[in-house]
């Protein structure tokens, strides 16, 4: 190898060695920088993806609400029912039921502000289940009637009624110190708004008008009313009778017939019925003492039986239900077939430790007429001023109707123009009853009455007599039966489809059918018009739904 070649090689080797060290150092820096840039790009892309995902999630909320409001919650008769519409019917059904049965619910300990899905209505249904069932029944009836009305070409303009209703809602919301939107939600569920509920309200008004037309054709004939009376005379007849009550004088402290008293406890505490202070109890007579007192009372009652017409209180025009309120045994005796004037008896009431002495006078069908009237009910004590205002004007029936609309306490009555038809005198306070049944009563007569013990004053305008009370009572019973039969036939074949298992009562019905003679469907659907929730969802009565919503029963429907 030549010298020049060797030098060149050495130089190349030296150069290669020097560049490699430097290059390694710079390469590491370059790679680190590229990694940082790459990580930055990845982070930026990831951030964009994350922001996009969050945007999609936020955007999904309106979509989810739309699906909840407009999607299918259940199907009834093949018709899709949204959650919003279901809530409307649930609250309508539950609020009406609670309004009509509030005291009964309170008596049975139902906590209306609590979770109704945890309070039992029956062995298999909760109260929420029961209200679900009522809601589905209402849906089935309304949908069935609406289809039938449309097929029959029935038309009805509900615009005016709807407007009046919304005006009432606005007034109620203002009085409650809330907005119309909040008030609607309290009435019909958390998804309710005026625009969403409007078609449901309009359909309800349309169906109500059609139902009135149907009812006209289902009214019973006079022959049907008479036949029903003949089969149920005891429920409509009245009796006049005498009654005298003899209470047994039970001892208030031990007598020779008292049960033996156990020895006092070792700690010195007194035993027995006598005591003082907060621990004092009422003496409980022994069976022997009660028997002796009852025997003495019976002797007095048998003596009084001989002079019942002078010792007893005379009762007139008493229905069986009223007599039963005294004692079912008294009611049964008075309304026995073949009971004749002058019959007397002594009836024991062992529960209340007394005897009733009863003397029968007569039994008959009360033929008192009902009446059509207009009435203002006010709690402001201004009854006479209201009547004077009417008298100072045109003083006609039409002007009285206007006065009614002006001054009526809507918490008591919502009757348009104060019109009440077929008012039964028997259900009125004594002064109004006597005034209404006066033989000289004529159209245009008026009265102001403030019954003792009541907070309301009545200003009444007499229009005309109506049918006898017993006729209207039976007519209403038969009409109700006819209408119920009609609706049952209408909805009998309407299937309730609940594929997501929201109506738990359907499952209960299936289980009952499976254990009986009927089979159950396996797809969550059921024939009929009953329903309740199984998935924790709730459309009312303070229960919460599976999607976090809740619709309460703080206010009842106004239509």
């Amino acid at each position: 190898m030549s010298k020049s070649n060797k030098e060149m090689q050495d130089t190349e080797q030296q150069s290669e060695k020097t560049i490699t060290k430097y290059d390694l150092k710079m390469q590491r820096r370059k790679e680190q920088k590229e990694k940082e840039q790459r990580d930055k790009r990845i982070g930026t892309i990831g951030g964009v993806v994350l922001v996009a995902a969050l945007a999609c999630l936020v955007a999904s909320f309106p979509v989810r609400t739309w699906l909840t409001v407009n999607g299918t919650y259940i199907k009834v008769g093949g018709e899709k029912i949204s959650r919003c519409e279901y809530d409307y019917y649930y609250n309508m059904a539950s609020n009406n039921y609670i309004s009509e049965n509030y005291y009964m619910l309170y008596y049975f300990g139902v906590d209306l502000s609590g979770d109704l899905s945890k309070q039992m209505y029956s062995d298999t249904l909760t109260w929420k289940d029961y209200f679900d069932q009522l809601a589905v029944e209402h849906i089935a009836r309304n949908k069935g009637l609406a289809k039938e009305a449309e097929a029959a070409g029935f038309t009805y303009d509900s615009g005016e009624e709807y407007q009046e209703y919304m005006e009432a809602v606005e007034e109620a919301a203002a009085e409650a110190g809330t907005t119309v939107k909040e008030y609607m939600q309290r009435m019909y569920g958390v998804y309710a708004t005026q625009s969403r509920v409007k078609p449901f309200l309009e359909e309800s008004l349309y169906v109500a008008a059609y139902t009135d037309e149907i009812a006209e054709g289902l009214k019973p004939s006079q022959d049907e009313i008479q036949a029903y009376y003949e089969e149920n005379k005891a429920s409509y007849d009245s009796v006049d009778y005498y009654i005298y009550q003899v209470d047994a004088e039970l001892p208030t402290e031990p007598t020779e017939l008292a049960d033996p008293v156990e020895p006092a406890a070792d700690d010195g505490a007194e035993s027995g019925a006598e005591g003082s202070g907060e621990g004092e109890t009422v003496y409980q007579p022994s069976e022997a003492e009660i028997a002796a007192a009852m025997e003495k009372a019976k002797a007095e009652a048998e003596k009084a039986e001989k002079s019942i017409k002078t010792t007893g209180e005379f009762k007139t025009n008493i229905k069986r239900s009223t007599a039963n309120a005294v004692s079912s045994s008294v009611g049964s005796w008075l309304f026995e077939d073949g009971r004749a004037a002058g019959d007397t008896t002594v009836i024991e009431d062992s529960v209340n430790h007394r005897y009733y002495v009863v003397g029968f006078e007569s039994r008959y069908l009360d033929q008192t007429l009902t009446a059509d009237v207009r009435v203002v009910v006010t709690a402001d004590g201004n009854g006479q001023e209201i009547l004077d205002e009417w008298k100072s004007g045109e003083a006609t029936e039409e002007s009285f109707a206007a006065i009614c609309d002006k001054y009526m306490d809507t918490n008591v009555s919502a009757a348009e123009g104060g019109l009440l038809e077929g008012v039964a005198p028997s259900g009125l306070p004594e002064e109004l009853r006597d005034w209404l049944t006066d033989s000289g009563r004529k159209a245009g007569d008026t009265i102001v009455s403030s019954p003792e013990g009541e907070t309301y004053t009545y200003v009444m305008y007499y229009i005309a007599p109506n049918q006898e009370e017993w006729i209207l009572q039976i007519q209403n019973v038969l009409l109700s039966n006819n209408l119920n039969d009609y609706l049952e036939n209408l909805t009998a074949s309407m299937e309730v489809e609940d594929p997501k298992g929201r109506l738990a009562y359907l499952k209960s019905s299936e289980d009952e059918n499976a254990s009986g003679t009927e089979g159950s469907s396996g797809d969550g659907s059921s024939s009929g018009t009953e329903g309740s929730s199984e998935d924790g969802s709730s459309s009312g009565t303070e229960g919460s739904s599976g999607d976090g919503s809740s619709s309460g029963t703080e206010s009842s429907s106004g239509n």
Side-chain angles (χ1 to χ4, degrees):
M1 177 182 296
S2 65
K3 182 178 180 181
S4 59
N5 289 340
K6 186 175 184 301
E7 289 176 352
M8 184 180 293
Q9 185 179 20
D10 290 342
T11 303
E12 288 175 353
Q13 289 175 350
Q14 184 67 32
S15 298
E16 181 180 356
K17 183 178 180 181
T18 302
I19 293 171
T20 300
K21 284 184 177 181
Y22 178 77
D23 184 59
L24 287 173
K25 183 177 179 181
M26 296 304 294
Q27 183 68 26
R28 283 194 295 271
R29 290 182 179 179
K30 181 180 179 182
E31 290 175 353
Q32 180 64 31
K33 188 174 182 179
E34 289 177 351
K35 182 177 182 300
E36 290 176 356
Q37 291 175 340
R38 184 171 62 251
D39 289 346
K40 184 177 180 180
R41 287 196 302 270
I42 293 173
T44 301
I45 294 171
V48 171
V49 172
L50 179 60
V51 170
L54 289 174
C56 290
L57 182 61
V58 171
S60 73
F61 279 108
V63 174
R64 290 167 63 193
T65 300
W66 188 93
L67 291 174
T68 300
V69 171
N70 300 284
T72 302
Y73 189 71
I74 61 171
K75 287 185 179 181
V76 179
E79 188 162 344
K80 297 178 181 179
I81 306 299
S82 69
R83 172 62 189 274
C84 188
E85 184 171 11
Y86 185 83
D87 283 358
Y88 165 81
Y89 280 102
Y90 182 98
N91 283 280
M92 285 278 288
S94 60
N95 289 338
N96 288 342
Y97 184 92
I98 291 170
S99 177
E100 293 172 3
N101 300 279
Y102 181 81
Y103 291 106
M104 182 272 290
L105 294 170
Y106 176 80
Y107 177 80
F108 284 107
V110 180
D111 181 8
L112 297 175
S113 63
D115 188 350
L116 294 181
S117 67
K118 296 180 180 178
Q119 301 180 63
M120 299 308 294
Y121 166 78
S122 67
D123 292 339
T124 58
L125 301 180
T126 66
W127 275 101
K128 182 191 175 303
D129 295 338
Y130 179 64
F131 290 147
D132 277 327
Q133 175 180 322
L134 292 182
V136 175
E137 289 174 353
H138 282 222
I139 292 171
R141 286 198 295 267
N142 268 26
K143 298 304 179 184
L145 286 167
K147 287 180 179 179
E148 186 175 271
E150 291 169 2
F154 178 77
T155 58
Y156 179 74
D157 184 0
S158 61
E160 185 176 348
E161 276 190 87
Y162 175 78
Q163 186 59 38
E164 290 176 355
Y165 174 72
M166 287 311 304
E167 289 174 359
V169 168
E170 290 171 4
E171 291 178 7
E175 290 177 2
T178 187
T179 64
V180 170
K181 179 180 179 181
E182 291 172 343
Y183 192 78
M184 294 288 284
Q185 290 177 337
R186 287 167 56 183
M187 289 175 66
Y188 300 126
V190 293
Y191 296 109
T193 63
Q194 184 175 343
S195 60
R196 289 173 183 168
V197 171
K198 183 179 181 181
F200 314 146
L201 283 168
E202 289 178 330
E203 182 179 67
S204 294
L205 294 171
Y206 174 75
V207 166
Y210 182 65
T211 303
D212 289 341
E213 185 169 283
I214 292 173
E216 284 297 320
L218 294 175
K219 283 185 177 180
S221 66
Q222 189 59 45
D223 288 342
E224 291 174 318
I225 292 173
Q226 185 64 41
Y228 186 87
Y229 165 73
E230 295 296 336
E231 295 176 0
N232 301 274
K233 284 185 175 183
S235 298
Y236 298 96
D237 281 353
S238 298
V239 292
D240 294 347
Y241 64 97
Y242 296 89
I243 187 168
Y244 181 73
Q245 180 177 310
V246 180
D247 292 311
E249 296 182 3
L250 302 180
T252 57
E253 57 185 24
T255 68
E256 66 277 6
L257 296 176
D259 291 333
V261 179
E262 295 182 4
D266 293 339
D267 60 2
E270 294 186 12
S271 62
E274 297 184 19
S276 61
E278 294 181 0
E280 186 174 355
T281 59
V282 177
Y283 175 66
Q284 298 297 323
S286 67
E287 291 186 7
E289 288 174 321
I290 293 174
M294 287 293 285
E295 189 63 29
K296 184 177 179 181
K298 182 179 181 181
E300 181 183 342
E302 289 174 343
K303 181 179 179 181
E305 183 182 6
K306 299 175 182 178
S307 57
I308 184 61
K309 286 190 175 183
T310 56
T311 58
E313 180 182 1
F314 189 50
K315 301 283 188 178
T316 62
N317 200 8
I318 303 299
K319 298 292 191 295
R320 183 166 185 168
S321 58
T322 304
N324 284 343
V326 175
S327 166
S328 59
S329 297
V330 170
S332 296
W333 184 83
L334 286 169
F335 284 86
E336 279 183 6
D337 290 337
R339 182 65 56 223
D343 287 354
T344 62
T345 190
V346 173
I347 297 174
E348 180 182 6
D349 181 352
S350 59
V351 174
N352 296 300
H353 307 123
R354 62 175 60 122
Y355 284 91
Y356 295 105
V357 185
V358 187
F360 183 82
E361 186 68 17
S362 62
R363 173 174 167 174
Y364 51 92
L365 178 61
D366 180 22
Q367 297 181 326
T368 300
L369 295 173
T370 60
D372 297 340
V373 301
R374 293 188 185 274
V375 60
V376 179
V377 183
T378 174
D380 297 331
N382 58 339
Q384 189 59 53
E385 289 85 348
I386 291 173
L387 185 60
D388 290 342
E389 180 180 335
W390 172 74
K391 288 181 176 179
S392 65
E394 296 178 358
T396 62
E397 182 183 344
E398 289 73 18
S399 63
F400 195 91
I403 286 286
C404 289
D405 290 336
K406 180 179 179 180
Y407 290 105
M408 178 70 76
D409 187 329
T410 54
N411 292 319
V412 179
S413 175
E416 185 176 354
L419 178 63
L420 299 176
E421 297 177 304
V423 173
S426 61
L428 297 176
E430 183 177 0
E431 183 180 18
L432 288 174
R433 181 175 65 245
D434 292 344
W435 179 82
L436 205 61
T437 56
D438 189 311
S439 59
R441 189 63 50 229
K442 63 183 184 300
D445 286 351
T446 58
I447 183 176
V448 176
S449 177
S450 300
E452 185 177 352
E454 290 197 25
T455 58
Y456 294 104
T457 296
Y458 302 86
V459 185
M460 186 174 288
Y461 177 99
Y462 185 84
I463 299 174
N466 204 317
Q467 297 189 77
E468 295 170 16
E469 183 174 343
W470 70 274
I471 292 177
L472 288 185
Q473 287 177 340
I474 294 178
Q475 176 179 282
N476 290 336
V477 169
L478 293 179
L479 176 57
S480 178
N481 292 342
N482 292 342
L483 193 55
N484 285 336
D485 290 343
Y486 178 89
L487 293 174
E488 284 182 11
N489 292 331
L490 182 68
T491 60
S493 61
M494 294 182 72
E495 184 181 34
V496 180
E497 299 176 61
D498 178 33
K500 294 186 179 180
R502 292 184 168 109
L503 305 176
Y505 93 93
L506 290 178
K507 182 65 166 59
S508 296
S509 298
E510 289 175 358
D511 291 343
E512 291 176 3
N513 290 338
S515 62
T517 58
E518 296 182 46
S520 63
S521 65
D523 61 355
S525 65
S526 171
S527 265
T529 58
E530 301 180 334
S532 125
S533 168
E534 190 177 41
D535 63 350
S537 67
S538 170
S539 352
T541 62
E542 303 289 88
S544 62
S545 74
D547 59 4
S549 64
S550 171
S551 39
T553 58
E554 301 161 298
S555 176
S556 64
S557 158
N559 66 330

